[in-house]
Amino acid sequence: MTAQNPVARVLEAPARWLAILGGWWLMALAFLTCAEILGRKLLGVSLQGVDEIGGYTLAVFSTLAFTWALVAKSHARVDFLLGRMPAPVRAVLNATAFLLLAACAIYAAWRGWHVLEESIEFQAHANSPLQTALWIPQSAWLAGLVVFAVAAGAFAGHALWLLLTDWRRLNLLYGPMTLDEEVATEASAILARTAPEAEPAE
């Protein structure tokens, strides 16, 4: 349904690139962790701070992954009763779900700013070998929260607009994916990964 949702169309490309960036960073961190393990076992040396960098990575790229999951409709929703309700009621509940998600995302970003503000005010540093100034990873973490809040707010605004103008389309775009849609999404993703590259024209 991404192709039919104007908000998702706008956000899909940047969200995908952020998710890809996170994947490459995790691969680099995995190689760094392997080097740390081999260095300790074979040479008796340690790369200081790999575990600390891993913690920052989890915090930062988790927030960025929230946005991609939202665009790709990958967030889990408990919907075993939703399908039994009348379509207009489903529309209200679907809009409410996105409004609540946006409210939670905005609140998280707001609280994240206060955390960063305190770290800057007190010049906080990590109690670790790297002695990282905490405002550095926290700034990236807050940026991820802000991106998620903006994306969630855009979806919520669009859902609310559709609730007032076209609730049938609201259910189509913002309702949970059916089993057939989930199968079709997974199948298209597998085909995209396994399809051979097009041969260049002679």
Side-chain angles (χ1 to χ4, degrees):
M1 293 302 172
T2 300
Q4 301 180 27
N5 191 320
V7 178
R9 280 201 304 270
V10 171
L11 297 177
E12 183 177 16
R16 181 186 295 275
W17 279 109
L18 288 174
I20 292 172
L21 174 64
W24 280 107
W25 181 268
L26 287 173
M27 287 189 64
L29 181 62
F31 282 112
L32 193 62
T33 303
C34 290
E36 162 79 1
I37 294 171
L38 293 175
R40 285 187 179 185
K41 293 292 184 181
L42 302 179
L43 304 176
V45 296
S46 173
L47 301 174
Q48 297 294 323
V50 174
D51 55 341
E52 182 181 351
I53 294 172
Y56 299 147
T57 297
L58 176 63
V60 172
F61 285 102
S62 292
T63 59
L64 295 175
F66 295 161
T67 302
W68 172 246
L70 180 61
V71 172
K73 296 186 71 172
S74 298
H75 284 128
R77 290 182 61 182
V78 181
D79 59 347
F80 65 96
L81 291 177
L82 190 65
R84 303 176 183 273
M85 296 181 178
V89 176
R90 292 203 306 271
V92 172
L93 293 176
N94 285 327
T96 302
F98 277 85
L99 288 171
L100 290 175
L101 179 64
C104 289
I106 293 169
Y107 178 76
W110 176 62
R111 293 304 305 164
W113 164 249
H114 284 286
V115 172
L116 175 60
E117 189 177 35
E118 287 183 1
S119 294
I120 294 173
E121 179 181 357
F122 295 107
Q123 299 181 358
H125 287 70
N127 184 19
S128 67
L130 293 181
Q131 288 290 300
T132 306
L134 290 180
W135 70 266
I136 299 174
Q138 286 176 355
S139 295
W141 168 70
L142 177 60
L145 289 175
V146 170
V147 169
F148 178 52
V150 170
F155 277 108
H158 187 232
L160 183 60
W161 171 255
L162 290 178
L163 180 63
L164 300 175
T165 59
D166 189 353
W167 58 264
R168 292 180 178 83
R169 183 167 172 78
L170 167 63
N171 285 337
L172 177 66
L173 298 183
Y174 291 99
M177 287 195 294
T178 64
L179 180 60
D180 290 340
E181 289 172 344
E182 291 182 7
V183 170
T185 300
E186 291 298 326
S188 63
I190 293 172
L191 289 174
R193 290 195 299 266
T194 58
E197 295 183 2
E199 295 183 359
E202 296 182 358

